[in-house]
Amino acid sequence: MLAPFIALFLAAAPQSTDKLPPANPLPPPASEEEQVMAPLRAWFAGIDAADANAIRAQLRIGGGGGATVAATRANGERIVRHLTWEEYLANVKPGEHRYHEQFSGQPAIEIDGDIAMVWGDFTLSVDGKVATCGVDHFDMVRENGAWKVQNVTWSQRTTGCGA
């Protein structure tokens, strides 16, 4: 019963010998926000792999930046500590524990020309259990067309995050 309708449809359809336009082999350019996030995804993958070199590749080493943590211990004591990039990277090495850090929601991203800021809640798990949480704040700089981490600052607590 469908055959007559198909034949009628095909007979009524315009016959064209025009070729389709060539396909664009390149993917569309990523949004600027995605470009800013790319080195941070690589950073977190470096933490997961305990690979300091993977993290180092995301850093603007010669820019005088570094890492600062503002921690609140379970007893309420507050500590602020700054590390040079070399001090920070010295702590990233394979060992007996498996680490996994991730944003726990969608981070805020602000971009102005060749600077950007990424701010978002995070969790850090050790051996599959949430150990700390807080907020990561990354200062990003685009240099020679590539986004790099200039500074990272994070708050760190062990309460209120499932630890």
Side-chain angles (χ1 to χ4, degrees), residues 68-73 78-81 133 135 153-157:
T68 302
V69 58
T72 303
R73 295 192 172 158
R78 294 175 181 262
I79 299 169
V80 176
R81 183 171 176 225
C133 62
V135 170
T153 304
W154 70 97
S155 60
Q156 179 179 308
R157 60 185 175 280

Side-chain angles (χ1 to χ4, degrees), residues 12 20 40 56 67 70 75-76 87 90 92 98 101 112 122 128-129 141 150 161:
L20 291 174
L40 299 184
R56 179 186 300 279
N75 66 4
E87 290 169 328
V92 179
R98 300 284 304 156
E101 184 173 349
D112 184 41
F122 79 92
K129 182 181 178 206
V141 174
Q150 174 71 36
C161 52

Side-chain angles (χ1 to χ4, degrees), residues 5 8 28 34 39 61 98-99 112:
F5 291 112
L8 182 62
E34 282 297 313
I61 293 286
R98 300 284 304 156
Y99 296 93
D112 184 41

Side-chain angles (χ1 to χ4, degrees), residues 1-37:
M1 180 147 184
L2 283 177
F5 291 112
I6 293 173
L8 182 62
F9 173 77
L10 291 175
Q15 300 298 316
S16 173
T17 59
D18 294 339
K19 292 182 180 181
L20 291 174
N24 183 359
L26 299 175
S31 71
E32 205 164 14
E33 288 81 5
E34 282 297 313
Q35 292 172 22
V36 168
M37 288 301 296

Side-chain angles (χ1 to χ4, degrees), residues 92-157:
V92 179
K93 54 190 166 199
E96 62 185 69
H97 298 289
R98 300 284 304 156
Y99 296 93
H100 176 67
E101 184 173 349
Q102 65 184 10
F103 284 117
S104 53
Q106 184 65 34
I109 303 168
E110 296 290 335
I111 303 168
D112 184 41
D114 290 329
I115 66 168
M117 182 269 316
V118 178
W119 171 287
D121 295 329
F122 79 92
T123 58
L124 175 70
S125 298
V126 179
D127 299 328
K129 182 181 178 206
V130 174
T132 65
C133 62
V135 170
D136 277 338
H137 169 219
F138 291 92
D139 292 322
M140 309 293 291
V141 174
R142 181 170 39 201
E143 190 169 52
N144 300 320
W147 286 101
K148 297 288 186 173
V149 177
Q150 174 71 36
N151 294 295
V152 62
T153 304
W154 70 97
S155 60
Q156 179 179 308
R157 60 185 175 280

